[in-house]
Amino acid sequence: MSFDVSTPTGLLQALGPDLVLIVGAMVLMLVAAFRPESAGHQRRVGLMALGVLVATIATMSWYATNASSTTVHGIIAVDGFRWAVNLVFLVGAAATIALGIEANPRDRIVAAESHVLVLFATAGMMVLAAARDLMIVFLGVEMMSIAVYVLAGINRSSARSAEGALKYFLLGAFSTGFLLYGIALIYGATGSTHLGVIGERIGTFGLAGHGMLLVGVGLLLVGFAFKIAAVPFHMWAPDVYEGAPTPITAYMAAAVKAAAFAMFLRAWLEAFSLLDGSWLTPIWWLAAVTMVAGNAIALAQRNVKRMLAYSSIVHGGYLLVAVAAGTGLGSAAFLFYGIAYTLATFGAFAIVSVMAPTGSRGALIRDYEGLWTTRPWLAVGFAICMLALLGFPIFGGVGFFAKWYVLQAAITSPRELTPLAIVLVLTSVVSAGYYLHVVRVMFMKPRPEDADEPGPVYPLTQAVLVGSVALILLLGLFPNTLATWAKDNALGARPTAVTTNAP
Amino acid sequence: MLVESLTLSAALFTIGVIGVLTRRNAIIVFMCVELMLNAVNLSFVALSKLYGATGQVFVIFVMTVAAAEAAVGLAIIIAIFRHKKSVNLQDINLLRG
């Protein structure tokens, strides 16, 4: 089925999966507000939110096989990349809600709307993945961010949570200002907010050296670097990740980051590929500094949540290498990495939420000592997630291949990124210092006498945990299936427009 | 007029950025963020004289989003005031980067 995105009807049809999610979320918000707040109601709303996500995934799978666009310069992309990234967001959202249903009572959060807000944030991400116009990019970023600001502070009884939310909000709004000013300057230099038109005009009018455009793209890059917490724009991330409820932390580390990357990859490839002479070097340094500094600080962490926060900063740096590659292969590597990283993150945070029921207690690496002797399966699951994040062969499953494809994209890129690939490999070796440290502590140290007994693993948490660990290992055995899928859905692999008509 | 408007917009944006970086009161920081957004609005309006209505449409979107952001932001500031009895960023130091 083919849509003409230039007409309102075609646009609505092309937004089918997004609309299913948005309408479902709105109805569910009414349901959440309809009854007084209680733990039972919260659980019921959470289960319904999972239902909405399943409906969205079903609609999206239909679109992924059947939909195409007839418009050259539509403001909404109808391509494989959009559906593939949406899958990462929707799986991430489902895992967040599943963990949240059981983690919220443990953290004494009674807020049925927390599950609905995850749906709203996911809708914003889906809009962001579809955006081919900077106006839609801005709307997507804000739909996502505003919902996530609330989620970061959803635990109203915790001062840490409120503090994390304030930091996230102030720096997030600050970065939005940069993003927006960047968009205004790009509009001023090219006269359009459409990514495709911007790309064409940069070529036709030879705007690659235009000062206003270069500053605009730079400000856009700053806004994006804040969202993905690239060093030196990362100061907020560890605090926010530590303060937020654990399932939300996982959501921010995996899905929010993937959404920002999907947006930037599309903008970079469709609009600004001619600017690599001036802006490749800053992205190069951003990636290198993020990998080096992130790993160095992660080594010093004693709190598992903070360690994973720095680890997510570092993974943002690895993904920046794929962005710097600036090829379709780079976007394929990003898709592969997105799936692998999401699985490992949710597996790891599922265990963190079991180990640390009430915020900071039980979240230190010391609390994991000798876990193997009391809860062997938790220790094995956490070890596999750590090895996957490290990119260890065989035992780390799909994590190894994720890094492999990023390296491949960097080395085959026409932009000579071999030094950056070397930095990636060396910093990965350094990251073994903290990932393997946790594994060693769990398996080789005795359980301290006064250690708390970890809480029980409830069925939904168990499902997330077993699902992600099983998929990490399974996709590690058959990486080609995932790699083919990623290549088929890379940017530019399937053309956005089937037939041509004048813009 | 275009150059003057864009210069004013850049100046306002810079004042906003300096305010965010130097001020210590959460509400004033937030006001400076709003100043940044409105500086950008000025740019959009000025540029739409050159390129047509897109810039003006963008301004409407920015204002709507800024209003939603203000609602959430002020709620977060109230939440922190309940815990700390202060909105001074120097008093907010449970977590450290």
Side-chain angles (χ1 to χ4, degrees):
Chain A
M1 203 176 160
S2 182
F3 306 119
D4 181 7
V5 205
S6 56
T7 64
T9 330
L11 196 59
L12 277 182
Q13 286 169 334
L15 281 170
D18 312 59
L19 286 175
V20 170
L21 182 60
I22 291 172
V23 171
M26 282 176 169
V27 171
L28 206 53
M29 189 56 119
L30 292 177
V31 173
F34 197 67
R35 293 254 187 107
E37 287 189 337
S38 73
H41 187 51
Q42 172 170 266
R43 187 184 171 81
R44 193 162 47 231
V45 170
L47 292 174
M48 284 192 242
L50 284 179
V52 172
L53 284 174
V54 170
T56 314
I57 292 176
T59 322
M60 198 196 74
S61 346
W62 185 86
Y63 270 75
T65 46
N66 295 312
S68 63
S69 165
T70 53
T71 321
V72 182
H73 288 311
I75 58 172
I76 289 292
V78 185
D79 58 2
F81 186 70
R82 174 180 165 196
W83 312 125
V85 187
N86 280 355
L87 187 67
V88 176
F89 306 152
L90 290 167
V91 169
T96 309
I97 292 175
L99 290 180
I101 289 174
E102 285 162 359
N104 282 1
R106 273 200 301 255
D107 291 340
R108 294 190 197 81
I109 301 171
V110 186
E113 68 272 19
S114 65
H115 303 305
V116 189
L117 283 165
V118 174
L119 296 186
F120 279 126
T122 311
M125 292 171 187
M126 288 172 69
V127 169
L128 203 50
R132 294 190 70 213
D133 191 295
L134 291 172
M135 210 183 283
I136 313 285
V137 165
F138 172 69
L139 282 180
V141 165
E142 287 300 290
M143 271 172 79
M144 169 181 88
S145 302
I146 292 178
V148 179
Y149 299 149
V150 183
L151 283 171
I154 198 81
N155 192 352
R156 273 168 296 189
S157 59
S158 154
R160 281 169 187 272
S161 194
E163 186 182 328
L166 181 71
K167 283 188 181 165
Y168 192 32
F169 168 73
L170 286 179
L171 285 171
F174 188 50
S175 74
T176 304
F178 282 103
L179 188 85
L180 200 59
Y181 200 39
I183 292 175
L185 292 182
I186 292 166
Y187 172 63
T190 62
S192 173
T193 53
H194 188 281
L195 294 177
V197 177
I198 293 172
E200 277 173 14
R201 292 199 182 157
I202 292 175
T204 348
F205 301 125
L207 295 173
H210 194 293
M212 200 170 177
L213 181 69
L214 290 182
V215 175
V217 175
L219 290 171
L220 196 71
L221 182 65
V222 170
F224 161 74
F226 261 111
K227 289 286 170 217
I228 63 154
V231 180
F233 306 102
H234 70 290
M235 308 76 73
W236 57 272
D239 287 355
V240 176
Y241 286 12
E242 193 189 342
T246 307
I248 304 302
T249 309
Y251 185 66
M252 288 195 279
V256 173
K257 207 161 267 196
F261 268 108
M263 176 275 279
F264 197 70
L265 264 172
R266 194 185 286 281
W268 189 240
L269 262 66
E270 288 190 4
F272 308 120
S273 52
L274 289 172
L275 298 182
D276 58 348
S278 36
W279 277 108
L280 180 63
T281 316
I283 294 182
W284 198 102
W285 280 105
L286 202 60
V289 171
T290 305
M291 289 189 283
V292 172
N295 271 312
I297 311 173
L299 280 173
Q301 299 304 316
R302 294 283 163 269
N303 180 310
V304 175
K305 254 175 132 177
R306 285 185 87 84
M307 185 201 89
L308 287 171
Y310 279 105
S311 138
S312 98
I313 291 172
V314 170
H315 284 275
Y318 297 154
L319 277 172
L320 273 173
V321 177
V323 173
T327 52
L329 202 59
S331 70
F334 157 71
L335 287 176
F336 193 104
Y337 208 101
I339 293 280
Y341 177 67
T342 305
L343 291 174
T345 304
F346 277 98
F349 276 104
I351 291 168
V352 172
S353 85
V354 171
M355 293 292 291
T358 48
S360 56
R361 262 182 81 81
L364 299 178
I365 294 178
R366 190 156 40 81
D367 296 307
Y368 286 70
E369 281 179 6
L371 190 63
W372 165 249
T373 53
T374 51
R375 299 290 286 274
W377 289 112
L378 280 186
V380 169
F382 203 62
I384 288 173
C385 291
M386 288 296 109
L387 292 175
L389 288 173
L390 170 59
F392 200 82
I394 303 169
F395 298 108
V398 72
F400 170 74
F401 294 101
K403 276 210 180 115
W404 174 259
Y405 285 118
V406 171
L407 280 175
Q408 205 182 31
I411 290 168
T412 56
S413 160
R415 293 168 173 178
E416 306 284 328
L417 293 174
T418 316
L420 204 54
I422 294 171
V423 176
L424 198 161
V425 172
L426 289 180
T427 50
S428 295
V429 173
V430 174
S431 74
Y434 52 96
Y435 290 132
L436 290 184
H437 174 65
V438 182
V439 176
R440 190 180 65 87
V441 155
M442 285 192 302
F443 285 90
M444 299 202 173
K445 289 221 174 169
R447 188 81 180 151
E449 295 288 321
D450 57 340
D452 292 345
E453 175 65 16
V457 187
Y458 294 111
L460 283 171
T461 312
Q462 206 168 13
V464 171
L465 185 53
V466 172
S468 36
V469 169
L471 276 173
I472 288 172
L473 294 176
L474 205 63
L475 291 172
L477 288 178
F478 307 103
N480 282 336
T481 335
L482 190 59
T484 318
W485 171 83
K487 274 195 190 107
D488 287 345
N489 292 311
L491 276 172
R494 270 196 257 162
T496 336
V498 181
T499 55
T500 48
N501 57 351
Chain B
M1 270 311 278
L2 183 65
V3 175
E4 289 87 339
S5 311
L6 290 181
T7 315
L8 176 63
S9 157
L12 286 175
F13 188 84
T14 315
I15 294 171
V17 171
I18 293 172
V20 171
L21 295 177
T22 55
R23 287 311 181 113
R24 286 288 159 261
N25 183 311
I27 292 178
I28 294 183
V29 170
F30 182 50
M31 279 164 58
C32 293
V33 169
E34 292 292 309
L35 184 63
M36 288 164 66
L37 295 185
N38 283 312
V40 177
N41 280 348
L42 184 59
S43 280
F44 273 122
V45 172
L47 288 167
S48 72
K49 200 172 176 221
L50 212 61
Y51 299 122
T54 316
Q56 295 179 20
V57 176
F58 215 126
V59 171
I60 305 283
F61 277 118
V62 174
M63 288 197 296
T64 317
V65 164
E69 206 170 51
V72 167
L74 293 176
I76 290 175
I77 293 177
I78 290 174
I80 201 122
F81 183 77
R82 285 210 180 121
H83 284 290
K84 301 275 177 191
K85 301 288 168 247
S86 159
V87 288
N88 194 323
L89 294 178
Q90 274 159 345
D91 298 337
I92 301 168
N93 51 11
L94 275 181
L95 305 161
R96 285 170 205 284

